Amino acid sequence: MAATKKAVDTVSMVDTFNQFTTDKNIDRTTLVSVLEESFRNVIAKIFGSDENFDVIVNPDKGDFEIYRNRVVVADGEVQDENREISLSDAQKIEDDYEIGEDVSERVDFTKFGRRAILNLRQTLASKILELEHDSLYNKYKDRVGQVVSGEVYQVWKREVLLVDDENNELILPKSEQIPSDQYRKGETIRAVIHQVNNENNNPKIILSRTSPEFLRRLLEAEVPEINDGLITIRRVARMPGERAKIAVESYDERIDPVGACVGVKGSRVHGIVRELNNENIDVINYTSNIKLFIQRALSPAKVSSINVNEEEHKAEVYLKPEEVSLAIGRGGLNIKLASMLTEYTIDVFREIDDSEADEDIYLDEFADEVDQWVIDAIKAIGLDTAKAVLNAPREMLVEKADLEEETVDNLINVLKAEFEQ
């Protein structure tokens, strides 16, 4: 029975050692140091001290040796069994030992019992895990904003777990996924490193496919002139999976930054569009002239005139009636992106001639037909007259005044009826 127990313990020790010396992304010197420290911790608990022990770890062979060093003393004079050995016991090891000599005796770790082995396994696991966390954090802490590839390992409702080429775990939260993304286990996807957190020495590498930085990095990879410093990406605005606007600038008059980024027949953006699940990409020339920049950002709409309040970062844009829908875009997408790109709040209005403006009526005069709270909500967004409301896009009235569509439609009908009489 004792022989069987010893065999089991020996196997357990070999398994323990092999478990922590294979497939670990830790350099050899550090691994040896961690293993030696773990053995010494257990020895110190058993004997009270590890100072007179030699621990030799050989990760290449997957084995280890432990030796205890003691001084030979006369029989009956042993006071510290950990540091001293009687002459008769020493001579059982080598018959020529004499009093005062040092004895180095190999120790069978399995004889320390199951508790010692379990203690060693736990200590090793804790230290190796700590090293792996340090290694993972150090690998990624300075790489925020870089694009990485990972293999989909697990798909959950709130996040996708990926692994890199060293089997490190990377997390792609639902909030950082393009809405139309579909992931299958085993496929490789690209994303930008969004955050590297290390709370309680438990690093988490957060990826993003919705970040403007992801689009920026993809464009840098496709356009050599950007890497060469001939073209600069000044602004990026995205509605992930739907549409994006990018403002670029060149300091070399011979280079057309928009043409260089788009490529012949769109060749340079085609791959990016596919990567982003057919996200349409508009590239425009950047300018420090804010009025011109806003006009370009509202493309393909053609702006008639524009008033800018630089202190409040607001702009009132006037367009011909047929241009208004282009400026707003489907679902208000174009104007939202233009606002994000320029960092200005943009309100668009239909252009009216002076003769029509003279016939305007203040909203308060419609109090007998329209609820006062509706009038107040419209006035709160800067529209005081009937013409101003009728020349503002319906979508803007709904969104900015925070009114129901039915309420806005009723208001418009009342105002139109007044001018049709």
Side-chain angles (χ1 to χ4, degrees), residues 239-284:
M239 299 296 286
E242 297 187 59
R243 192 171 176 183
K245 287 181 181 286
I246 303 171
V248 295
E249 185 177 26
S250 172
Y251 301 109
D252 189 333
E253 294 181 355
R254 297 169 298 177
I255 296 177
D256 171 18
V258 174
C261 291
V262 174
V264 179
K265 296 182 179 179
S267 59
R268 287 181 171 176
V269 296
H270 279 166
I272 300 176
V273 170
R274 287 194 298 270
E275 174 72 45
L276 303 180
N277 285 350
N278 295 321
E279 183 174 311
N280 292 321
I281 301 174
D282 299 336
V283 184
I284 68 171

Tab-separated table of all heavy atoms in Angstrom, residues 239-284:
chain	number	residue	atom	x	y	z
A	239	MET	N	-20.445	56.247	-38.141
A	239	MET	CA	-21.630	55.563	-37.646
A	239	MET	C	-21.384	54.116	-38.052
A	239	MET	O	-21.654	53.730	-39.203
A	239	MET	CB	-22.911	56.116	-38.286
A	239	MET	CG	-23.148	57.598	-37.996
A	239	MET	SD	-23.426	57.944	-36.250
A	239	MET	CE	-25.095	57.313	-36.065
A	240	PRO	N	-20.813	53.314	-37.157
A	240	PRO	CA	-20.279	51.996	-37.509
A	240	PRO	C	-21.230	51.128	-38.319
A	240	PRO	O	-22.400	50.956	-37.975
A	240	PRO	CB	-19.985	51.367	-36.145
A	240	PRO	CG	-19.728	52.536	-35.260
A	240	PRO	CD	-20.678	53.599	-35.726
A	241	GLY	N	-20.703	50.597	-39.412
A	241	GLY	CA	-21.467	49.699	-40.270
A	241	GLY	C	-22.372	50.412	-41.252
A	241	GLY	O	-22.956	49.779	-42.134
A	242	GLU	N	-22.505	51.751	-41.131
A	242	GLU	CA	-23.392	52.492	-42.017
A	242	GLU	C	-22.614	53.477	-42.895
A	242	GLU	O	-22.573	53.336	-44.113
A	242	GLU	CB	-24.459	53.230	-41.210
A	242	GLU	CG	-25.378	52.301	-40.433
A	242	GLU	CD	-26.525	53.041	-39.788
A	242	GLU	OE1	-27.302	53.694	-40.515
A	242	GLU	OE2	-26.649	52.984	-38.549
A	243	ARG	N	-21.979	54.458	-42.249
A	243	ARG	CA	-21.306	55.469	-43.032
A	243	ARG	C	-20.227	56.147	-42.200
A	243	ARG	O	-20.312	56.185	-40.978
A	243	ARG	CB	-22.318	56.510	-43.530
A	243	ARG	CG	-21.794	57.461	-44.599
A	243	ARG	CD	-22.945	58.272	-45.157
A	243	ARG	NE	-22.481	59.272	-46.114
A	243	ARG	CZ	-23.275	60.156	-46.706
A	243	ARG	NH1	-24.580	60.145	-46.452
A	243	ARG	NH2	-22.795	61.036	-47.566
A	244	ALA	N	-19.219	56.660	-42.878
A	244	ALA	CA	-18.132	57.368	-42.198
A	244	ALA	C	-17.679	58.536	-43.053
A	244	ALA	O	-17.818	58.529	-44.276
A	244	ALA	CB	-16.967	56.419	-41.932
A	245	LYS	N	-17.131	59.546	-42.394
A	245	LYS	CA	-16.535	60.694	-43.091
A	245	LYS	C	-15.122	60.889	-42.552
A	245	LYS	O	-14.894	60.837	-41.339
A	245	LYS	CB	-17.358	61.969	-42.881
A	245	LYS	CG	-18.676	61.986	-43.650
A	245	LYS	CD	-19.430	63.293	-43.414
A	245	LYS	CE	-20.754	63.325	-44.158
A	245	LYS	NZ	-20.583	63.535	-45.611
A	246	ILE	N	-14.196	61.114	-43.477
A	246	ILE	CA	-12.796	61.311	-43.110
A	246	ILE	C	-12.307	62.596	-43.752
A	246	ILE	O	-12.530	62.831	-44.947
A	246	ILE	CB	-11.928	60.130	-43.602
A	246	ILE	CG1	-12.440	58.808	-43.036
A	246	ILE	CG2	-10.464	60.333	-43.221
A	246	ILE	CD1	-11.768	57.594	-43.645
A	247	ALA	N	-11.628	63.429	-42.953
A	247	ALA	CA	-11.038	64.661	-43.480
A	247	ALA	C	-9.528	64.480	-43.558
A	247	ALA	O	-8.885	64.135	-42.555
A	247	ALA	CB	-11.382	65.839	-42.577
A	248	VAL	N	-8.962	64.681	-44.748
A	248	VAL	CA	-7.528	64.480	-44.957
A	248	VAL	C	-6.895	65.754	-45.501
A	248	VAL	O	-7.567	66.609	-46.084
A	248	VAL	CB	-7.260	63.304	-45.920
A	248	VAL	CG1	-7.726	61.995	-45.307
A	248	VAL	CG2	-7.964	63.531	-47.266
A	249	GLU	N	-5.592	65.845	-45.309
A	249	GLU	CA	-4.863	67.043	-45.737
A	249	GLU	C	-3.485	66.650	-46.245
A	249	GLU	O	-2.866	65.712	-45.721
A	249	GLU	CB	-4.727	68.008	-44.548
A	249	GLU	CG	-4.092	69.345	-44.897
A	249	GLU	CD	-4.050	70.277	-43.690
A	249	GLU	OE1	-4.038	69.764	-42.544
A	249	GLU	OE2	-4.026	71.503	-43.884
A	250	SER	N	-3.015	67.351	-47.269
A	250	SER	CA	-1.674	67.116	-47.795
A	250	SER	C	-0.895	68.418	-47.776
A	250	SER	O	-1.438	69.485	-48.061
A	250	SER	CB	-1.735	66.574	-49.225
A	250	SER	OG	-0.436	66.516	-49.783
A	251	TYR	N	0.372	68.321	-47.406
A	251	TYR	CA	1.235	69.509	-47.392
A	251	TYR	C	2.025	69.639	-48.693
A	251	TYR	O	2.815	70.549	-48.851
A	251	TYR	CB	2.191	69.432	-46.196
A	251	TYR	CG	1.461	69.337	-44.868
A	251	TYR	CD1	1.457	68.149	-44.134
A	251	TYR	CD2	0.760	70.425	-44.360
A	251	TYR	CE1	0.783	68.057	-42.927
A	251	TYR	CE2	0.081	70.351	-43.150
A	251	TYR	CZ	0.101	69.163	-42.444
A	251	TYR	OH	-0.576	69.071	-41.254
A	252	ASP	N	1.787	68.698	-49.587
A	252	ASP	CA	2.440	68.715	-50.900
A	252	ASP	C	1.373	69.029	-51.946
A	252	ASP	O	0.444	68.242	-52.145
A	252	ASP	CB	3.093	67.350	-51.182
A	252	ASP	CG	3.969	67.371	-52.428
A	252	ASP	OD1	3.696	68.198	-53.327
A	252	ASP	OD2	4.915	66.568	-52.498
A	253	GLU	N	1.495	70.169	-52.578
A	253	GLU	CA	0.478	70.597	-53.545
A	253	GLU	C	0.345	69.636	-54.718
A	253	GLU	O	-0.677	69.628	-55.408
A	253	GLU	CB	0.816	72.003	-54.061
A	253	GLU	CG	0.730	73.085	-52.988
A	253	GLU	CD	1.055	74.463	-53.544
A	253	GLU	OE1	1.435	74.532	-54.742
A	253	GLU	OE2	0.922	75.459	-52.802
A	254	ARG	N	1.350	68.854	-54.958
A	254	ARG	CA	1.301	67.907	-56.084
A	254	ARG	C	0.448	66.678	-55.776
A	254	ARG	O	0.130	65.901	-56.674
A	254	ARG	CB	2.722	67.458	-56.446
A	254	ARG	CG	3.636	68.587	-56.931
A	254	ARG	CD	5.070	68.121	-57.012
A	254	ARG	NE	5.583	67.733	-55.699
A	254	ARG	CZ	6.805	67.233	-55.487
A	254	ARG	NH1	7.619	67.032	-56.515
A	254	ARG	NH2	7.197	66.911	-54.272
A	255	ILE	N	0.090	66.512	-54.526
A	255	ILE	CA	-0.674	65.319	-54.130
A	255	ILE	C	-2.118	65.688	-53.826
A	255	ILE	O	-2.388	66.607	-53.046
A	255	ILE	CB	-0.041	64.651	-52.893
A	255	ILE	CG1	1.366	64.131	-53.231
A	255	ILE	CG2	-0.909	63.501	-52.388
A	255	ILE	CD1	2.077	63.526	-52.037
A	256	ASP	N	-3.035	64.979	-54.451
A	256	ASP	CA	-4.463	65.122	-54.157
A	256	ASP	C	-4.786	64.142	-53.025
A	256	ASP	O	-4.850	62.933	-53.253
A	256	ASP	CB	-5.294	64.790	-55.396
A	256	ASP	CG	-6.786	64.702	-55.088
A	256	ASP	OD1	-7.205	65.223	-54.034
A	256	ASP	OD2	-7.521	64.088	-55.893
A	257	PRO	N	-4.970	64.623	-51.795
A	257	PRO	CA	-5.158	63.700	-50.666
A	257	PRO	C	-6.406	62.833	-50.786
A	257	PRO	O	-6.380	61.661	-50.428
A	257	PRO	CB	-5.237	64.630	-49.453
A	257	PRO	CG	-5.642	65.957	-50.007
A	257	PRO	CD	-5.027	66.032	-51.371
A	258	VAL	N	-7.494	63.414	-51.311
A	258	VAL	CA	-8.723	62.623	-51.463
A	258	VAL	C	-8.533	61.525	-52.487
A	258	VAL	O	-8.859	60.352	-52.258
A	258	VAL	CB	-9.906	63.533	-51.849
A	258	VAL	CG1	-11.143	62.688	-52.153
A	258	VAL	CG2	-10.206	64.528	-50.737
A	259	GLY	N	-7.969	61.875	-53.626
A	259	GLY	CA	-7.740	60.882	-54.679
A	259	GLY	C	-6.792	59.793	-54.229
A	259	GLY	O	-6.997	58.605	-54.544
A	260	ALA	N	-5.749	60.172	-53.493
A	260	ALA	CA	-4.782	59.180	-53.026
A	260	ALA	C	-5.418	58.204	-52.048
A	260	ALA	O	-5.108	57.006	-52.061
A	260	ALA	CB	-3.596	59.877	-52.372
A	261	CYS	N	-6.312	58.702	-51.200
A	261	CYS	CA	-6.954	57.832	-50.206
A	261	CYS	C	-7.999	56.904	-50.835
A	261	CYS	O	-8.134	55.752	-50.442
A	261	CYS	CB	-7.605	58.672	-49.106
A	261	CYS	SG	-6.414	59.513	-48.044
A	262	VAL	N	-8.730	57.448	-51.800
A	262	VAL	CA	-9.777	56.643	-52.452
A	262	VAL	C	-9.160	55.635	-53.413
A	262	VAL	O	-9.588	54.475	-53.485
A	262	VAL	CB	-10.776	57.551	-53.185
A	262	VAL	CG1	-11.780	56.723	-53.986
A	262	VAL	CG2	-11.504	58.444	-52.189
A	263	GLY	N	-8.135	56.068	-54.145
A	263	GLY	CA	-7.502	55.178	-55.117
A	263	GLY	C	-8.249	55.149	-56.434
A	263	GLY	O	-9.374	55.646	-56.537
A	264	VAL	N	-7.617	54.562	-57.448
A	264	VAL	CA	-8.242	54.453	-58.763
A	264	VAL	C	-9.499	53.600	-58.670
A	264	VAL	O	-9.464	52.459	-58.223
A	264	VAL	CB	-7.255	53.834	-59.774
A	264	VAL	CG1	-7.928	53.698	-61.144
A	264	VAL	CG2	-5.995	54.681	-59.868
A	265	LYS	N	-10.625	54.191	-59.061
A	265	LYS	CA	-11.926	53.523	-59.004
A	265	LYS	C	-12.229	52.970	-57.607
A	265	LYS	O	-12.870	51.926	-57.446
A	265	LYS	CB	-12.004	52.399	-60.044
A	265	LYS	CG	-11.927	52.893	-61.481
A	265	LYS	CD	-12.070	51.743	-62.463
A	265	LYS	CE	-12.024	52.250	-63.918
A	265	LYS	NZ	-12.145	51.142	-64.893
A	266	GLY	N	-11.731	53.697	-56.599
A	266	GLY	CA	-12.012	53.292	-55.215
A	266	GLY	C	-11.228	52.095	-54.730
A	266	GLY	O	-11.590	51.484	-53.714
A	267	SER	N	-10.151	51.764	-55.426
A	267	SER	CA	-9.406	50.540	-55.109
A	267	SER	C	-8.859	50.507	-53.687
A	267	SER	O	-8.779	49.443	-53.068
A	267	SER	CB	-8.257	50.362	-56.102
A	267	SER	OG	-7.380	51.482	-56.069
A	268	ARG	N	-8.488	51.679	-53.155
A	268	ARG	CA	-7.869	51.683	-51.828
A	268	ARG	C	-8.878	51.622	-50.683
A	268	ARG	O	-8.518	51.280	-49.556
A	268	ARG	CB	-6.969	52.907	-51.675
A	268	ARG	CG	-5.683	52.795	-52.481
A	268	ARG	CD	-4.786	53.996	-52.294
A	268	ARG	NE	-3.470	53.771	-52.897
A	268	ARG	CZ	-2.500	54.672	-52.950
A	268	ARG	NH1	-2.704	55.888	-52.446
A	268	ARG	NH2	-1.335	54.380	-53.490
A	269	VAL	N	-10.105	51.985	-50.941
A	269	VAL	CA	-11.103	51.922	-49.869
A	269	VAL	C	-11.992	50.692	-49.967
A	269	VAL	O	-12.703	50.373	-49.009
A	269	VAL	CB	-11.992	53.195	-49.834
A	269	VAL	CG1	-11.161	54.409	-49.511
A	269	VAL	CG2	-12.755	53.368	-51.118
A	270	HIS	N	-11.945	49.993	-51.098
A	270	HIS	CA	-12.806	48.812	-51.261
A	270	HIS	C	-12.574	47.791	-50.166
A	270	HIS	O	-13.518	47.246	-49.583
A	270	HIS	CB	-12.591	48.170	-52.637
A	270	HIS	CG	-13.343	48.867	-53.725
A	270	HIS	ND1	-13.089	48.662	-55.071
A	270	HIS	CD2	-14.343	49.783	-53.677
A	270	HIS	CE1	-13.897	49.419	-55.802
A	270	HIS	NE2	-14.657	50.110	-54.973
A	271	GLY	N	-11.285	47.510	-49.893
A	271	GLY	CA	-10.969	46.515	-48.865
A	271	GLY	C	-11.439	46.950	-47.491
A	271	GLY	O	-11.921	46.131	-46.696
A	272	ILE	N	-11.316	48.244	-47.211
A	272	ILE	CA	-11.749	48.769	-45.911
A	272	ILE	C	-13.272	48.683	-45.793
A	272	ILE	O	-13.805	48.313	-44.745
A	272	ILE	CB	-11.280	50.225	-45.738
A	272	ILE	CG1	-9.754	50.285	-45.802
A	272	ILE	CG2	-11.791	50.796	-44.426
A	272	ILE	CD1	-9.198	51.691	-45.747
A	273	VAL	N	-13.962	49.026	-46.875
A	273	VAL	CA	-15.428	48.953	-46.881
A	273	VAL	C	-15.888	47.526	-46.593
A	273	VAL	O	-16.811	47.299	-45.802
A	273	VAL	CB	-15.994	49.444	-48.231
A	273	VAL	CG1	-17.486	49.137	-48.330
A	273	VAL	CG2	-15.750	50.944	-48.394
A	274	ARG	N	-15.233	46.542	-47.195
A	274	ARG	CA	-15.589	45.140	-46.943
A	274	ARG	C	-15.296	44.758	-45.499
A	274	ARG	O	-16.092	44.066	-44.855
A	274	ARG	CB	-14.820	44.218	-47.897
A	274	ARG	CG	-15.320	44.254	-49.335
A	274	ARG	CD	-14.751	43.089	-50.136
A	274	ARG	NE	-13.294	43.158	-50.203
A	274	ARG	CZ	-12.618	43.800	-51.157
A	274	ARG	NH1	-13.280	44.432	-52.114
A	274	ARG	NH2	-11.306	43.813	-51.152
A	275	GLU	N	-14.136	45.201	-45.000
A	275	GLU	CA	-13.768	44.898	-43.609
A	275	GLU	C	-14.811	45.443	-42.636
A	275	GLU	O	-15.105	44.821	-41.602
A	275	GLU	CB	-12.397	45.510	-43.305
A	275	GLU	CG	-11.964	45.395	-41.854
A	275	GLU	CD	-11.584	43.997	-41.443
A	275	GLU	OE1	-10.854	43.313	-42.203
A	275	GLU	OE2	-12.027	43.560	-40.368
A	276	LEU	N	-15.389	46.590	-42.959
A	276	LEU	CA	-16.349	47.252	-42.080
A	276	LEU	C	-17.795	46.943	-42.453
A	276	LEU	O	-18.708	47.708	-42.138
A	276	LEU	CB	-16.117	48.766	-42.105
A	276	LEU	CG	-14.702	49.225	-41.703
A	276	LEU	CD1	-14.597	50.735	-41.772
A	276	LEU	CD2	-14.348	48.732	-40.317
A	277	ASN	N	-17.997	45.813	-43.133
A	277	ASN	CA	-19.358	45.371	-43.491
A	277	ASN	C	-20.108	46.411	-44.312
A	277	ASN	O	-21.223	46.824	-43.978
A	277	ASN	CB	-20.159	44.992	-42.246
A	277	ASN	CG	-19.733	43.658	-41.667
A	277	ASN	OD1	-18.974	42.916	-42.289
A	277	ASN	ND2	-20.205	43.353	-40.479
A	278	ASN	N	-19.455	46.838	-45.411
A	278	ASN	CA	-20.046	47.764	-46.381
A	278	ASN	C	-20.377	49.138	-45.793
A	278	ASN	O	-21.355	49.784	-46.184
A	278	ASN	CB	-21.304	47.151	-47.016
A	278	ASN	CG	-20.973	45.917	-47.839
A	278	ASN	OD1	-19.953	45.880	-48.536
A	278	ASN	ND2	-21.805	44.898	-47.733
A	279	GLU	N	-19.561	49.586	-44.876
A	279	GLU	CA	-19.694	50.943	-44.330
A	279	GLU	C	-19.204	51.944	-45.387
A	279	GLU	O	-18.044	51.912	-45.788
A	279	GLU	CB	-18.856	51.063	-43.057
A	279	GLU	CG	-18.965	52.392	-42.348
A	279	GLU	CD	-18.209	52.372	-41.027
A	279	GLU	OE1	-18.394	51.412	-40.241
A	279	GLU	OE2	-17.426	53.317	-40.778
A	280	ASN	N	-20.104	52.790	-45.866
A	280	ASN	CA	-19.727	53.769	-46.891
A	280	ASN	C	-18.758	54.800	-46.320
A	280	ASN	O	-18.949	55.284	-45.206
A	280	ASN	CB	-20.975	54.481	-47.428
A	280	ASN	CG	-21.861	53.536	-48.224
A	280	ASN	OD1	-21.350	52.701	-48.966
A	280	ASN	ND2	-23.166	53.649	-48.061
A	281	ILE	N	-17.739	55.132	-47.087
A	281	ILE	CA	-16.706	56.042	-46.610
A	281	ILE	C	-16.609	57.259	-47.523
A	281	ILE	O	-16.355	57.131	-48.720
A	281	ILE	CB	-15.341	55.332	-46.537
A	281	ILE	CG1	-15.415	54.123	-45.589
A	281	ILE	CG2	-14.254	56.295	-46.079
A	281	ILE	CD1	-14.160	53.277	-45.571
A	282	ASP	N	-16.838	58.439	-46.946
A	282	ASP	CA	-16.672	59.699	-47.672
A	282	ASP	C	-15.342	60.327	-47.252
A	282	ASP	O	-15.083	60.468	-46.050
A	282	ASP	CB	-17.807	60.681	-47.340
A	282	ASP	CG	-19.177	60.147	-47.734
A	282	ASP	OD1	-19.235	59.289	-48.621
A	282	ASP	OD2	-20.174	60.596	-47.133
A	283	VAL	N	-14.527	60.691	-48.209
A	283	VAL	CA	-13.251	61.337	-47.919
A	283	VAL	C	-13.311	62.760	-48.440
A	283	VAL	O	-13.654	62.985	-49.607
A	283	VAL	CB	-12.071	60.587	-48.569
A	283	VAL	CG1	-10.743	61.226	-48.163
A	283	VAL	CG2	-12.084	59.108	-48.180
A	284	ILE	N	-13.018	63.745	-47.587
A	284	ILE	CA	-13.063	65.151	-48.000
A	284	ILE	C	-11.752	65.842	-47.641
A	284	ILE	O	-10.988	65.357	-46.799
A	284	ILE	CB	-14.246	65.906	-47.341
A	284	ILE	CG1	-14.018	66.034	-45.832
A	284	ILE	CG2	-15.564	65.239	-47.646
A	284	ILE	CD1	-15.014	66.947	-45.146
